[in-house]
Amino acid sequence: MSLAHLTRIAAIVCVLPALLVGPADGKDDSWEVDGKLIGKISKKTGKVKKSEDVSGIACTKQKGFPRTCLIIDDNLQDAQFVELNDGKLVVGDPVKLIKNKFGDEQLELDGEGIAFSQGYFYAIGSHGRPRDGNEKLDPVKDRDEINARIASNSQIVRIRARDGADAKPEPTLTLRKIITEETILRDFADRRLEENGVTIEGIAIKDDKTLLAGFRGPVLKGDEGKSRAVVLSVPLNALFDGGEAQHKVFRLPLGPARGVRDLVTYEDGILILAGPGACQCGTYAIYSWDGASENVTLLSELEQFDPARKPEALLPLDRNGKKLRVLILFDGDEEGKPTPVEIPAPD
């Protein structure tokens, strides 16, 4: 089968799941958020609202409580420190990640994921064409603004955890160049998400030396017409230290029209939160992956939540034998409505 055929846009077939009112037991098991996770500024009042666009979380350790963590909202230039306790998030200081502007307007990172490794947090932007559902940006007249927004969200920002809110951000634009030169991805680099364009939503660090970027889009069509989600593997030193960019593209079978919504390192492997790609309907699931092959294992279909909700961030909490408790945060819910879920543990 030709490479061109393998990289053809996946047919997006939306099958609405059966209506569920979640959680399944009717209880609200979400954790308390002590403090305020900041979001967009209200156009009416000029005040900072509570976040409704939580898109990523990572912590300085995988086990135990309390943990120092960093949370990102995809409409801000900042991330925010939190202390994670069992049953509660205590909100800390924000930290500035970028300072990009177009004219007098601050441009967002469109931060979609956070990872931690060897004393550093890594926040990743979507690396795609700006979200413009109403198509207000004209491709010709607004070209400068479009390019400015792409430059703003095509960054990975590294900060030292121990420096807290005083951390000096270290940004890199290298990944965007790799994407636009990679045969499998370059034709999707400047398309809108709705057109199956490039949109990164997950990040993990494997073995403290390799960055894994998980793509919500494009969703590719693989053998026998089955959907394949994309993960791009790049050495950290190639991104931040000028090393050789010997990258690799993985095409993972995460189910029909599903892309990556989050990645997280757990034990010796990777957990994947999978969900709808360009299509806004569909279901979500959690997979385990070794980070080296194209084989994944389904751990759980997330069928206990109202299908209108959008699981966006995943954090392992603790393991009890063959069960793993994870925390899920939702895009569109106030302050992410962090909710613990028990799933089968990876082997």
Side-chain angles (χ1 to χ4, degrees):
M1 185 175 293
S2 71
L3 184 60
H5 181 74
L6 288 173
T7 58
R8 189 178 303 160
I9 300 175
I12 305 300
V13 179
C14 294
V15 180
L16 288 172
L19 180 62
L20 301 168
V21 179
D25 57 8
K27 296 179 181 179
D28 181 1
D29 296 324
S30 63
W31 285 8
E32 174 189 356
V33 177
D34 182 357
K36 182 178 181 179
L37 285 176
I38 59 174
K40 295 182 288 188
I41 297 175
S42 170
K43 293 181 180 179
K44 291 183 178 179
T45 66
K47 295 181 179 179
V48 176
K49 299 190 294 184
K50 287 184 178 181
S51 173
E52 294 183 354
D53 298 283
V54 170
S55 54
I57 184 171
C59 303
T60 55
K61 59 183 182 180
Q62 289 190 9
K63 300 178 181 179
F65 302 97
R67 304 182 199 177
T68 298
C69 309
L70 195 65
I71 281 182
I72 197 164
D73 176 306
D74 63 19
N75 281 293
L76 304 179
Q77 293 192 330
D78 307 88
Q80 196 163 6
F81 285 99
V82 300
E83 181 184 272
L84 181 77
N85 298 281
D86 195 353
K88 181 168 69 172
L89 279 69
V90 180
V91 178
D93 295 326
V95 57
K96 180 70 72 174
L97 299 178
I98 65 170
K99 297 180 180 179
N100 295 62
K101 287 186 175 183
F102 181 75
D104 294 329
E105 180 185 1
Q106 289 188 346
L107 300 181
E108 64 200 33
L109 173 64
D110 195 16
E112 293 288 358
I114 299 276
F116 178 81
S117 177
Q118 294 189 309
Y120 288 89
F121 285 108
Y122 295 82
I124 195 166
S126 62
H127 282 68
R129 194 177 180 88
R131 303 287 177 84
D132 183 29
N134 296 324
E135 299 188 18
K136 293 180 180 179
L137 295 175
D138 183 272
V140 178
K141 291 190 295 186
D142 298 314
R143 183 179 302 160
D144 289 345
E145 181 176 352
I146 290 171
N147 289 340
R149 292 186 180 276
I150 291 174
S152 181
N153 71 42
S154 294
Q155 300 181 80
I156 305 170
V157 182
R158 179 172 70 178
I159 62 169
R160 283 200 306 186
R162 73 180 188 187
D163 293 337
D166 296 323
K168 294 180 174 59
E170 301 174 54
T172 177
L173 291 161
T174 306
L175 190 64
R176 171 74 181 178
K177 185 174 185 292
I178 293 172
I179 291 169
T180 56
E181 293 178 353
E182 164 57 50
T183 304
I184 294 173
L185 295 172
R186 63 189 179 197
D187 289 343
F188 304 97
D190 293 319
R191 296 181 185 177
R192 302 174 188 272
L193 171 62
E194 296 82 2
E195 299 171 348
N196 205 30
V198 161
T199 301
I200 292 174
E201 289 209 358
I203 181 176
I205 308 297
K206 180 175 169 55
D207 300 330
D208 295 320
K209 60 183 181 181
T210 302
L211 183 143
L212 301 171
F215 289 67
R216 175 178 174 178
V219 176
L220 306 178
K221 183 180 290 185
D223 294 335
E224 301 177 357
K226 294 182 179 180
S227 298
R228 293 291 184 268
V230 175
V231 176
L232 182 61
S233 168
V234 185
L236 273 176
N237 65 4
L239 296 169
F240 288 93
D241 303 317
E244 187 175 353
Q246 295 179 334
H247 67 275
K248 182 175 181 179
V249 176
F250 295 94
R251 289 165 284 195
L252 306 181
L254 303 182
R258 279 180 180 161
V260 174
R261 290 304 188 97
D262 201 12
L263 296 175
V264 59
T265 304
Y266 178 67
E267 295 181 343
D268 296 328
I270 306 294
L271 297 180
I272 303 173
L273 176 61
C279 180
Q280 295 301 314
C281 59
T283 57
Y284 295 78
I286 298 174
Y287 291 80
S288 66
W289 177 44
D290 61 13
S293 71
E294 294 190 342
N295 300 315
V296 297
T297 300
L298 175 65
L299 298 178
S300 178
E301 294 280 353
L302 297 177
E303 297 177 336
Q304 61 268 65
F305 301 112
D306 186 318
R309 301 178 73 190
K310 298 181 289 185
E312 192 76 5
L314 178 68
L315 183 70
L317 295 174
D318 43 44
R319 181 171 185 154
N320 183 8
K322 294 184 178 181
K323 295 293 184 179
L324 174 64
R325 192 171 60 134
V326 299
L327 193 67
I328 296 177
L329 291 89
F330 298 84
D331 184 6
D333 286 357
E334 188 171 86
E335 298 185 302
K337 206 171 183 64
T339 303
V341 174
E342 192 174 75
I343 65 173
D347 293 332

